[in-house]
Amino acid sequence: MFKLIKCCLLLCAMQWQTSFAQPQFTLLPSPFKNIDTLATNDWWNRAPNEIINLKVNRDSVVAFGLYTVHANVLKLSAQLYPLYPNESRTIKLALYQDGKWKVAQRQNANELGWSALFRIENWDHSKDTKYRITHGERAYFEGTIRKNPDYKNEIVMAALSCNSNRDRGLRENYVRNINYQDPDLIFFAGDQSYDHTEHTAAWLKFGLQFRETFRNRPCITIPDDHDIGQGNLWGENGKLSTAKGGSDGGYTYHPEYVKMVERCQTAHLPDPYDPTPIEQGIGVYYTNLTLGGIDFAIVEDRKFKSGPEGKIPQQGPRPDHIRNPEYDPNSIDLEGLSLLGERQLIFLKDWGSKNLESIKVVLSQTGFCGGAHIHGSLDNRLHADLDSNGWPQSGRNKALRLIKSANAVHIAGDQHLATVIQHGINDFRDGPWAFIVPAIVNDYYSRWWWPEDEQAGVNPNKSTSLSWTGDYLDGFGNKISMMAYVNPESPSKGGGYGLIRFNKNQKNVTFECWPRNSDVTTGKASQFEGWPITITLD
């Protein structure tokens, strides 16, 4: 009997290996072979990695889902762990209707990135609907597609950015606080991944950290430079970058990798305004989302931006760093340089001319000025950083005029330095307001707002004890009015998140900024010094 049981166990093991471990995998193009190796080809033969365990039990292969609803169209992206060769690629979306689960759609997971997209038109957004993403008989992820909160006077959005891999732990504080504050929408402004060549594993890690914040509410995620494997990105319409650091403009990695990242992070967003691909067949996702009477424009502020190398006089040890405070800012604001690109300028103009009764918000990766003086460490003072969207100045001003014309506010991340700034275009304070939210984890690359003369600007913000507020020129000569900032000496090293409240009746917007280590459930938590800030729209 013992021998019979042993033989049966051996046979089962052999069958398991035949089902899951046989080398019948999709071979990727050779330029792709050194990126995303943990989740492609014979991924199951890879050694354990520090990012995440990819070899999960088969009842756990559905990791999470992301969704938006816009213009009566539901788009929901399902994210899976890597599948073994003989496992089905079919993913189902079921909806709970009339007291039972009904399969609404079936889609196949893409083996590059392991995501699948569901799209349902004529969606009834007047009621909450439970959804379930399933694979096989046992694996599933459940959540709720919320009804449109257009009946509410105040619409609330949580905004986060820069999920550094210096801390790979869970994000319990964020999940607890955000779910307690219960925003209607959550926005991740970029750098969800800092593991440049292993996006799938890092994206799965991000999902495990934050999925309880977007399981039951719509979510906007947009990739930034680290997500697509670069320290900085000047996309320059999708060309191939060949310079170290990408400062010549374009993308460093294989276009299929870039497309995979954007597919995983943005496929669930509303359809692009103009889906025409850019160079190398890389797609676009700039679009708008209306929710609860608020109209959000989602902008790609890196994809069309010109790279500095070879185009402007180099003013420091790197093509993108200017250290000489005596340089002429006009010498780098040259004809032909682009920031948002003509396509997105057309989009913003069109978007700004519609839904005039709505509060309007522009969402993008980074700020439209040089809002920091010190980068990385206290001994690294830069006069101007061309990675910021303060350059090129003419492109910056074109974007700000359209944002102002739409009577919109701007929300972004990237800088690891929370700020509230009112932009100036021709004069101080004639432009739109912007809130750059803090980094989720600020242990990677801190920045400081620290004027070299340590003087307050003209017309300082007298409602805060912060030393350096008021009107300033940034390193590009742009006019900015600093209202509040969070240097790394602040609580939680400046790490935290933003909460934005849109009051439709009063036509005002309140910016809140919460430290990472706060506990809002106690009723005793405090925001960073200088917040909250409420501004009234024209």
Side-chain angles (χ1 to χ4, degrees), residues 16 54 94 102 120 147 179 188 202 222 236 249 264 321 331-332 358 362 364 391 399 418 449 462 501 507-508:
W16 186 90
L54 297 176
K102 298 180 181 180
I120 299 178
K147 64 181 179 182
N179 284 339
F188 291 93
I222 57 176
E236 205 158 304
C264 288
H321 284 178
S331 69
I332 61 170
S358 297
V362 173
S364 77
W391 175 84
W449 172 259
K462 296 181 180 179
R501 301 181 183 275
K507 279 285 186 177
N508 65 31

Side-chain angles (χ1 to χ4, degrees), residues 125-126 147-153 155 184 291-294 504:
H125 206 348
S126 67
K147 64 181 179 182
N148 193 329
D150 51 7
Y151 59 93
K152 297 171 61 176
N153 175 52
I155 303 299
D184 302 285
L291 181 75
I294 311 301
K504 293 185 289 188

Side-chain angles (χ1 to χ4, degrees), residues 63-83:
F64 59 91
L66 297 159
Y67 79 86
T68 63
V69 177
H70 172 73
N72 298 319
V73 176
L74 166 69
K75 295 181 74 176
L76 189 151
S77 182
Q79 182 60 52
L80 275 71
Y81 285 87
L83 299 172

Side-chain angles (χ1 to χ4, degrees), residues 4 51 80 165 175 199 204 213 253 276 293 353 408 477 484 505 529:
L4 178 61
I51 303 173
L80 275 71
N165 58 12
V175 172
H199 178 265
L204 284 163
T213 66
Y253 287 144
T276 306
S353 68
N505 288 345
E529 171 60 32

Side-chain angles (χ1 to χ4, degrees), residues 163 188 192 202-211 214 221:
N163 189 35
F188 291 93
Q192 284 71 249
W203 178 240
L204 284 163
K205 183 69 173 182
F206 160 81
L208 289 189
Q209 292 168 327
F210 285 102
R211 64 185 180 182
F214 51 72
T221 53

Side-chain angles (χ1 to χ4, degrees), residues 227-301:
D227 295 290
I228 54 91
Q230 297 180 218
N232 292 312
L233 173 64
W234 299 267
E236 205 158 304
N237 202 49
K239 66 185 278 284
L240 175 66
S241 172
T242 58
K244 183 179 179 180
S247 57
D248 58 333
Y251 291 81
T252 299
Y253 287 144
H254 195 281
E256 292 301 322
Y257 186 76
V258 177
K259 290 160 68 175
M260 176 195 74
V261 171
E262 294 191 351
R263 180 168 59 246
C264 288
Q265 295 208 24
T266 70
H268 68 290
L269 299 181
D271 296 343
Y273 178 81
D274 173 3
T276 306
I278 57 175
E279 293 181 41
Q280 301 192 81
I282 295 170
V284 299
Y285 57 83
Y286 62 91
T287 186
N288 78 298
L289 168 72
T290 55
L291 181 75
I294 311 301
D295 194 352
F296 299 91
I298 303 167
V299 173
E300 305 181 64
D301 59 19

Side-chain angles (χ1 to χ4, degrees), residues 1 34 53 93 244 260 269 317 339 409 420 424 480 530 532:
M1 178 63 72
N34 294 321
N53 173 29
L93 173 64
K244 183 179 179 180
M260 176 195 74
L269 299 181
L339 180 56
V409 296
V420 171
I480 60 175

